[in-house]
Amino acid sequence: MQSLLDPAILFFVFGVVAGAVRSNLEIPPQISRFLSLYLLMALGLKGGFALAHSGLTAEVATTLACAVALALVVPIIGYQILKRLVGVFDATAIAATYGSVSAVSFITAVQYLETHSIPYGGHMAAAMALMESPAIILAVYFANQLRQLQASAGGVVVMGNGTAALGAPGLGGGSNFSLGKVLHESLTDGAQLLLIGAMLIGICTGDAGKAVMAPFSVDLFKGMLAFFLLDMGLMASRNMQKMKGASPWLVAYAILGPLAHASLALGLCSLLGIAPGNTGLLMVLAASASYIAVPAVLRYAVPEANPSLYFGMSLGITFPFNILIGIPLYMHVAGVVLG
């Protein structure tokens, strides 16, 4: 309950309510984009300053290796489960969405740790950046394998709505499809580059840079996060409508999947002896689902999938669940198990 009384979380709840009653309240897209870039830049600077202070240690390397392992294992397991619930291309897209991460969930979790004075490593921003792309690469690989199998079986492609159609070059598997372009977009996404660049600047400037940038990266952070979560609440409320009529199994996966992924992260962190604060953040990252970068790439890489499923699940169900319930739950469990 105490976490729900945080102003930023309350603004998210307010946004959900405003969207539910069909209010005309709206944050202009340009402002929303600016807020997301600001938060990533501030987060990257914070991580860089912390890394400049601590240096590259064995704990840092272990945590980053754990992050990469989760980014590979989660979409692989997710695909094996989801292909029993939906078509194979939808399973690929949903698995990739849940195998990647939500930067806003991570930023909200960082704010939770700072509010409750729980220590965490600045290298966790690098962990988030590393977990962004593996799921996209796996999705491209799975989709291409599926297309080859279906082509050898007569060229029948199962579309996102469950219908079948003959394969065609424009369906992402032929001459119009560029694996290099997809990988380039996933690895050079502007938001991710900004995060990494800000972190490198923080490392280079150290404590002197931290003192200079504090009014920007610290003092404004909470208010900017609250404003952005208001916008996310409006978006989440509107995307909940996309899940009307969806399979109850998909709705269940949108909640139980993140819990299972967070449990996997907890078990791995326990084996490796990772600190509670960092464990909590890895649980949040493993439990989150992308709703910006990955869906944008999937529209091009896996056009056979139904966007309303993977986008509606991630933003309409999983994101609100993590913001309101998941983050405090993961942090509490990490503290109890590893504290």
Side-chain angles (χ1 to χ4, degrees), residues 18-29:
V21 300
R22 302 180 186 275
S23 168
N24 63 354
L25 176 63
E26 184 177 3
I27 309 299

Side-chain angles (χ1 to χ4, degrees), residues 71-211:
L72 293 171
V73 171
V74 167
I76 291 173
I77 294 177
Y79 174 73
Q80 297 301 320
I81 296 173
L82 287 161
K83 70 179 183 180
R84 293 169 170 78
L85 306 177
V86 293
V88 287
F89 285 110
D90 282 330
T92 298
I94 296 171
T97 301
Y98 279 80
S100 190
V101 295
S102 162
V104 180
S105 298
F106 179 79
I107 292 169
T108 307
V110 166
Q111 186 62 42
Y112 179 95
L113 291 175
E114 293 179 351
T115 299
H116 292 80
S117 301
I118 302 174
Y120 67 94
H123 60 282
M124 294 307 299
M128 184 186 75
L130 287 173
M131 293 178 74
E132 182 80 55
S133 299
I136 299 176
I137 297 172
L138 284 174
V140 172
Y141 172 77
F142 287 155
N144 281 337
Q145 292 297 310
L146 290 170
R147 293 185 189 107
Q148 291 176 15
L149 287 173
Q150 291 181 339
S152 64
V156 178
V157 176
V158 180
M159 304 298 289
N161 58 8
T163 61
L166 291 177
L171 274 176
S175 59
N176 292 336
F177 178 77
S178 170
L179 176 61
K181 182 177 179 181
V182 169
L183 296 181
H184 179 269
E185 288 183 0
S186 66
L187 295 173
T188 62
D189 177 70
Q192 182 162 303
L193 280 182
L194 176 61
L195 174 70
I196 297 172
M199 188 162 52
L200 290 175
I201 291 171
I203 293 173
C204 293
T205 56
D207 290 339
K210 181 178 181 180

Side-chain angles (χ1 to χ4, degrees), residues 6-20 23-28 31-32 35 39 104 108 222-238 291 315 319 323-324:
D6 183 281
I9 302 301
L10 288 177
F11 269 106
F12 175 80
V13 175
F14 172 68
V16 172
V17 173
S23 168
N24 63 354
L25 176 63
E26 184 177 3
I27 309 299
I31 294 179
S32 178
L35 291 171
L39 292 171
V104 180
T108 307
K222 187 74 172 183
M224 292 289 198
L225 177 60
F227 200 2
F228 190 63
L229 284 179
L230 167 63
D231 184 41
M232 294 307 304
L234 291 167
M235 291 182 61
S237 180
R238 290 159 187 165
Y291 53 83
L315 187 54
F319 181 74
I323 293 295
L324 299 176

